[in-house]
Amino acid sequence: MAINSVGVVGAGQMGNGIAHVFALAGYDVLISDISQDALDNAVTLIDKNLERQASRGKISEDDRKAAMGRIKTTLNLADLGQTDLIIEAATERETVKQAIFEDLLPHLKPNTILTSNTSSISITRLASRTDRPEKFMGFHFMNPVPVMQLVELIRGIATDDETYQTLLDVVERIGKTAASAEDFPAFIVNRILMPMINEAVYTLYEGVGNVQSIDSAMKLGTNHPMGPLELADFIGLDTCLAIMNVLHEGLADTKYRPCPLLTKYVEAGWLGRKTGRGFYDYRGETPVPTR
């Protein structure tokens, strides 16, 4: 299966990063979103990030120009139907993702591969709502996409070998490394990472340590580049909570129960960096712990 063109659903943080790496690797990329502002912002950000790579000598100026020339945008989701590979990178809500795939179905080419960048939702379940479960996979990129080397490839129960091999080749072409995961809640990375973050929130909730001491302990004591609470703010506390709920509901084990303090922060709208407040307050010159 030859992949030459890629459709990206969603122009947010993950979507624009995915578009960036695919355009740089030589694919024609079409980004779709419901907001023209989001599309315009995505193109501006991709250009800025490519310029940064060029200024550091990681890519040439010709590479940058060529990559930007391969990126197009559309407000019409149906336009993505003529691409060879579609990567859904919308919000982490199953109903939203299902609606996107249902809207795409009438417009797809027979051989178009469908994928989701979901960090936790069942690939088998998403695939079952389409007309091509054998050509459906989880294609989970890490944030920020241009920097992080890993891509989790998740096969649904119906995914065929040709689709899997095709995506393995795609991952290699974009210069990333694939980790193959079975289709169980949160796959590999978030199955391990999110309970650690949730335990850090419990450690805060129970008064074992404050925000600064917890993050310092993990950075200096275990050599993590970022503390778990700082990382949670970077990911988005709403996303962390959504993944913990998927783990808790999908595996029915109390060890995955989301910490009440994490729920409280999300209810307050303190979702981390993207809202200006989370476990740290980002509204000043330097982040200040909120507890």
Side-chain angles (χ1 to χ4, degrees), residues 137 139 153 163-173 176 178-180:
M137 278 193 72
F139 209 22
L153 286 183
T163 300
Y164 174 67
Q165 281 301 140
T166 299
L167 289 189
L168 269 180
D169 293 342
V170 168
V171 172
E172 185 176 349
R173 182 173 161 187
K176 305 288 187 191
S180 297

Side-chain angles (χ1 to χ4, degrees), residues 120-141:
S120 61
I121 296 167
S122 168
I123 299 304
T124 297
R125 200 162 58 236
L126 287 173
S128 72
R129 301 288 291 269
T130 74
D131 63 351
R132 59 196 68 203
E134 72 287 349
K135 294 188 190 312
F136 195 111
M137 278 193 72
F139 209 22
H140 181 215
F141 289 81

Side-chain angles (χ1 to χ4, degrees), residues 43-116:
V43 172
T44 301
L45 187 57
I46 293 167
D47 195 24
K48 180 181 170 186
N49 289 336
L50 285 167
E51 278 183 3
R52 185 183 294 120
Q53 285 180 297
S55 69
R56 292 175 179 172
K58 294 186 176 180
I59 62 172
S60 69
E61 183 59 22
D62 286 346
D63 289 337
R64 185 194 71 79
K65 288 179 181 174
M68 288 307 299
R70 295 186 192 105
I71 296 172
K72 292 183 172 55
T73 64
T74 181
L75 289 168
N76 184 11
L77 184 65
D79 292 344
L80 270 59
Q82 293 308 300
T83 59
D84 303 320
L85 167 65
I86 293 176
I87 304 168
E88 171 273 314
T91 188
E92 190 69 356
R93 287 209 304 273
E94 188 165 350
T95 52
V96 172
K97 294 179 186 298
Q98 285 176 347
I100 287 167
F101 288 121
E102 283 169 12
D103 288 348
L104 277 168
L105 288 182
H107 310 287
L108 299 176
K109 295 192 299 182
N111 286 328
T112 297
I113 294 175
L114 293 177
T115 68
S116 176

Side-chain angles (χ1 to χ4, degrees), residues 179-194:
S180 297
E182 292 299 318
D183 184 23
F184 291 102
F187 320 129
I188 296 171
V189 172
N190 283 316
R191 171 76 177 262
I192 297 167
L193 175 65
M194 285 303 159

Side-chain angles (χ1 to χ4, degrees), residues 68-288:
M68 288 307 299
R70 295 186 192 105
I71 296 172
K72 292 183 172 55
T73 64
T74 181
L75 289 168
N76 184 11
L77 184 65
D79 292 344
L80 270 59
Q82 293 308 300
T83 59
D84 303 320
L85 167 65
I86 293 176
I87 304 168
E88 171 273 314
T91 188
E92 190 69 356
R93 287 209 304 273
E94 188 165 350
T95 52
V96 172
K97 294 179 186 298
Q98 285 176 347
I100 287 167
F101 288 121
E102 283 169 12
D103 288 348
L104 277 168
L105 288 182
H107 310 287
L108 299 176
K109 295 192 299 182
N111 286 328
T112 297
I113 294 175
L114 293 177
T115 68
S116 176
N117 183 57
T118 178
S119 50
S120 61
I121 296 167
S122 168
I123 299 304
T124 297
R125 200 162 58 236
L126 287 173
S128 72
R129 301 288 291 269
T130 74
D131 63 351
R132 59 196 68 203
E134 72 287 349
K135 294 188 190 312
F136 195 111
M137 278 193 72
F139 209 22
H140 181 215
F141 289 81
M142 306 297 126
N143 185 33
V145 180
V147 176
M148 300 296 279
Q149 289 302 299
L150 184 73
V151 181
E152 279 185 312
L153 286 183
I154 305 102
R155 296 176 73 153
I157 198 169
T159 307
D160 63 26
D161 287 338
E162 187 182 14
T163 300
Y164 174 67
Q165 281 301 140
T166 299
L167 289 189
L168 269 180
D169 293 342
V170 168
V171 172
E172 185 176 349
R173 182 173 161 187
I174 62 175
K176 305 288 187 191
T177 299
S180 297
E182 292 299 318
D183 184 23
F184 291 102
F187 320 129
I188 296 171
V189 172
N190 283 316
R191 171 76 177 262
I192 297 167
L193 175 65
M194 285 303 159
M196 185 196 77
I197 287 175
N198 194 51
E199 195 62 29
V201 182
Y202 266 114
T203 306
L204 179 65
Y205 175 61
E206 293 168 5
V208 179
N210 61 25
V211 168
Q212 195 160 16
S213 62
I214 292 166
D215 277 351
S216 294
M218 293 305 289
K219 282 192 284 189
L220 301 178
T222 61
N223 213 25
H224 287 197
M226 197 182 284
L229 301 175
E230 184 185 2
L231 180 57
D233 276 357
F234 180 74
I235 294 167
L237 303 193
D238 51 341
T239 300
C240 294
L241 180 60
I243 295 169
M244 285 309 302
N245 281 327
V246 166
L247 281 166
H248 191 223
E249 292 161 12
L251 298 171
D253 192 324
T254 54
K255 73 180 180 181
Y256 298 116
R257 185 173 70 96
C259 179
L261 184 60
L262 178 60
T263 302
K264 187 183 290 289
Y265 268 71
V266 173
E267 287 174 346
W270 292 18
L271 308 182
R273 285 180 179 269
K274 61 187 174 185
T275 58
R277 272 189 294 190
F279 293 113
Y280 293 84
D281 189 328
Y282 300 93
R283 294 173 298 173
E285 285 186 20
T286 57
V288 178

